[in-house]
Amino acid sequence: MAKIVMYPADNAKEALDWKAVQGQHITAVERKVLVLGSGGREHALAWRLAQSEGAHVFIAPGNAGTAQVGTNVNLKLSDFEAIKHLCLKEQINMVVVGPEQPLVDGIVDFFKNDEALKEVKIIGPDKRGAQLEGSKAYAKDFMEKYGIPTAKCFKVNKDNIEAGYGFLEQVKAPYVLKADGLAAGKGVLILNDLQEAKDELSKMLDGKFGAASATVVIEEFLKGIEVSVFVLTDGEHYVLLPEAKDYKRIGDGDTGLNTGGMGAVSPVPFCTPDFLSKVEDRIVKPTLKGLKSEKIDYKGFIFLGLMNDGGNPYVIEYNVRMGDPETEAVMTRIEGDFSELLDACADGRLDEVHFAKSEKTAVTVMVVSGGYPEAYKKGMRMSGLEGLKDVVAFHAGTTFDSEKQVVTSGGRVIAVTAHGDSIEEARDLAYREVEKIHFEGANYRHDIGLDLMKLQ
Ligand code: AMP
Ligand code: GLY
């Protein structure tokens, strides 16, 4: 049975064993890395970065879990001046931006244009590059211009709403309506009824998602199985990180409301070398060519939300960051020195670094608050975390109460990742340990990976 060590920063011997298992090339460079964000993705990034020799990780604002692998600094991600102050005070070498909002708001441009921050490397695209996620209309135009396979679409605003109704009448149900801008992951509606789709289109243009839905992209519905493919690029070269499947609905069997993600599996059985080479040839290479043609200097992650329709990949969406909870699975399968990989990305020498993926299968199960994704309580005390064995527990929504006890602070609370030689083995281990975690209202899906076991 595969073993993952809980918290290397807490346990030097186990950390070294882990590196030996991973065949890690150890460099004795002192590196100060700042991870921006506070979710499970950021805990997983910080956990992985902390394994590099000589690395000290800061997380802003972080959570109760990130405090175990580095130093939390409480600041607002919209406060770029505070982030600058932190970088200068702590002599940060590299900043890794977790969520999309600071990227869309131009944090990379802020760093590039500030003389005092010139030496600080930052992983993420500038404001123009971040439009690939920040504007669905921009992303669709980009894909059309560079011949990247995606669903047919029609862009609507208040001036051409009648034409929008016309497009809905032409395409078949289900109808896909997308707010152009960022809408906290809620801006996509999929409807079966034509009249309902027309009504929702009108409501969106009237501000259902605020300014984000002043423009709506209507898309043809794509059939198939979804997969998240992660690219790390320095603008010139790229590597494919391990791919993962996300489970978005709250209920077993993909039922109920959409969530931020209830679990993940990596690798994904249908992502064969043949499928991934189609992804590279039809999507990754034309995307990078497009970015270059648009003179967008892109150093960071590209998260391709893909639909596999009969062995052919189509882009559902671009994200300009890593996925959550996919990162909680993916980070456990990246071998070698991850800080060095990101350093090489920032320096434009991704072609020079060795990078390998673990043969193991990772299964991540997200434990969420009762009521999530609708209203839920916060501040619930948790038990069972100390007793977890052979898994990594990434904190997604936790904090400390006044007595320094770990309590819930979000909808998604803890992501438990286990490794195995098969999905079944990793699933069994993940669920064995998840059952040990207790807090009032705790909920999780029981079927993470079940659908993929049939495809193995
Ligand atoms: P997005 O925010 O673009 O990822 O959309 C949220 C979810 O809606 C996706 O993960 C898909 O499950 C679904 N979706 C979005 N666009 C389409 C489409 N054109 N066809 C089918 N499903 C879609
Ligand atoms: N898990 C999907 C996302 O991060 O957008």
Side-chain angles (χ1 to χ4, degrees):
M1 184 77 60
K3 258 189 115 171
I4 318 178
V5 173
M6 283 285 290
Y7 295 114
D10 278 355
N11 187 327
K13 184 183 171 296
E14 283 192 327
L16 281 175
D17 287 346
W18 199 87
K19 281 172 187 157
V21 171
Q22 300 282 314
Q24 182 152 323
H25 170 68
I26 295 174
T27 44
V29 197
E30 150 111 348
R31 240 189 229 129
K32 287 186 168 181
V33 185
L34 169 63
V35 176
L36 296 179
S38 60
R41 167 182 52 211
E42 286 75 24
H43 187 182
L45 287 166
W47 172 85
R48 194 64 192 79
L49 287 162
Q51 288 160 20
S52 292
E53 192 71 9
H56 186 106
V57 183
F58 293 80
I59 311 94
N63 61 36
T66 60
Q68 293 171 313
V69 293
T71 308
N72 284 352
V73 182
N74 193 16
L75 51 72
K76 283 206 177 70
L77 295 186
S78 55
D79 190 347
F80 293 174
E81 285 296 338
I83 296 169
K84 171 182 172 180
H85 180 75
L86 173 64
C87 286
L88 297 179
K89 180 168 158 256
E90 298 293 350
Q91 297 184 300
I92 299 290
N93 303 107
M94 180 163 62
V95 178
V96 182
V97 187
E100 64 279 11
Q101 191 72 55
L103 295 166
V104 172
D105 292 345
I107 191 164
V108 172
D109 311 65
F110 176 87
F111 269 65
K112 295 261 153 76
N113 295 328
D114 191 313
E115 200 54 42
L117 293 170
K118 278 257 152 39
E119 297 300 312
V120 184
K121 297 171 187 182
I122 182 159
I123 302 296
D126 65 10
K127 201 169 180 163
R128 287 179 63 226
Q131 285 302 293
L132 281 182
E133 177 166 0
S135 166
K136 301 220 186 251
Y138 177 89
K140 293 303 274 193
D141 287 342
F142 180 93
M143 285 186 265
E144 197 177 315
K145 188 165 172 188
Y146 296 102
I148 295 160
T150 186
K152 281 209 195 79
C153 78
F154 189 80
K155 295 172 215 82
V156 194
N157 56 41
K158 279 214 156 165
D159 298 331
N160 67 345
I161 187 162
E162 289 302 326
Y165 293 150
F167 184 81
L168 284 172
E169 280 159 16
Q170 277 169 35
V171 294
K172 285 195 215 92
Y175 305 96
V176 183
L177 305 178
K178 299 187 172 184
D180 174 49
L182 295 182
K186 297 191 168 72
V188 177
L189 301 181
I190 300 184
L191 305 153
N192 284 312
D193 181 73
L194 178 61
Q195 191 52 48
E196 201 187 346
K198 288 182 178 177
D199 293 346
E200 286 295 341
L201 173 60
S202 158
K203 281 186 210 159
M204 286 172 85
L205 294 174
D206 278 338
K208 179 170 178 146
F209 299 107
S213 61
T215 297
V216 173
V217 177
I218 308 176
E219 269 186 24
E220 250 179 7
F221 185 80
L222 293 169
K223 289 189 284 297
I225 316 182
E226 285 182 61
V227 58
S228 306
V229 169
F230 300 99
V231 180
L232 179 68
T233 182
D234 59 16
E236 197 67 45
H237 321 96
Y238 69 90
V239 291
L240 287 191
L241 302 178
E243 76 285 350
K245 184 175 188 288
D246 178 19
Y247 292 77
K248 290 201 163 79
R249 302 293 197 93
I250 184 73
D252 287 0
D254 281 331
T255 53
L257 293 173
N258 253 325
T259 70
M262 295 293 290
V265 176
S266 176
V268 176
F270 63 76
C271 284
T272 57
D274 179 49
F275 180 78
L276 287 175
S277 84
K278 286 182 194 165
V279 172
E280 289 188 64
D281 291 342
R282 298 177 192 177
I283 297 168
V284 180
K285 288 174 188 166
T287 297
L288 297 188
K289 188 164 164 255
L291 289 170
K292 273 176 92 168
S293 301
E294 301 294 322
K295 303 210 168 10
I296 293 172
D297 180 24
Y298 198 119
K299 290 185 166 56
F301 302 105
I302 307 178
F303 161 178
L304 304 168
L306 302 180
M307 191 69 90
N308 171 7
D309 180 5
N312 293 309
Y314 294 84
V315 177
I316 298 173
E317 62 168 350
Y318 284 112
N319 295 304
V320 296
R321 52 173 173 87
M322 288 298 288
D324 196 347
E326 291 96 323
T327 307
E328 291 92 304
V330 166
M331 283 301 131
T332 68
R333 294 194 55 237
I334 292 180
E335 296 186 343
D337 186 333
F338 188 54
S339 297
E340 171 54 20
L341 190 67
L342 294 189
D343 227 37
C345 171
D347 293 346
R349 44 178 187 84
L350 264 183
D351 55 328
E352 290 173 16
V353 288
H354 168 71
F355 161 68
K357 301 170 198 177
S358 157
E359 296 289 315
K360 298 289 181 189
T361 291
V363 168
T364 302
V365 178
M366 185 68 82
V367 185
V368 304
S369 298
Y372 175 79
E374 296 186 286
Y376 55 84
K377 286 199 245 174
K378 292 183 187 176
M380 301 296 124
R381 280 217 177 153
M382 245 175 282
S383 64
L385 292 178
E386 336 51 57
L388 298 182
K389 280 210 182 78
D390 303 337
V391 294
V392 201
F394 295 115
H395 291 223
T398 65
T399 189
F400 297 106
D401 66 10
S402 54
E403 288 163 33
K404 297 255 178 342
Q405 297 292 310
V406 179
V407 294
T408 66
S409 65
R412 296 191 290 173
V413 177
I414 299 275
V416 173
T417 299
H419 273 191
D421 289 328
S422 63
I423 298 177
E424 189 173 13
E425 209 177 276
R427 251 179 66 80
D428 287 349
L429 181 54
Y431 280 110
R432 186 192 79 192
E433 297 303 303
V434 159
E435 281 166 21
K436 296 180 182 168
I437 300 175
H438 298 285
F439 58 88
E440 191 190 314
N443 180 31
Y444 54 87
R445 268 180 72 157
H446 302 80
D447 64 341
I448 303 303
L450 267 190
D451 55 337
L452 296 180
M453 275 163 58
K454 294 179 218 128
L455 304 175
Q456 272 182 130

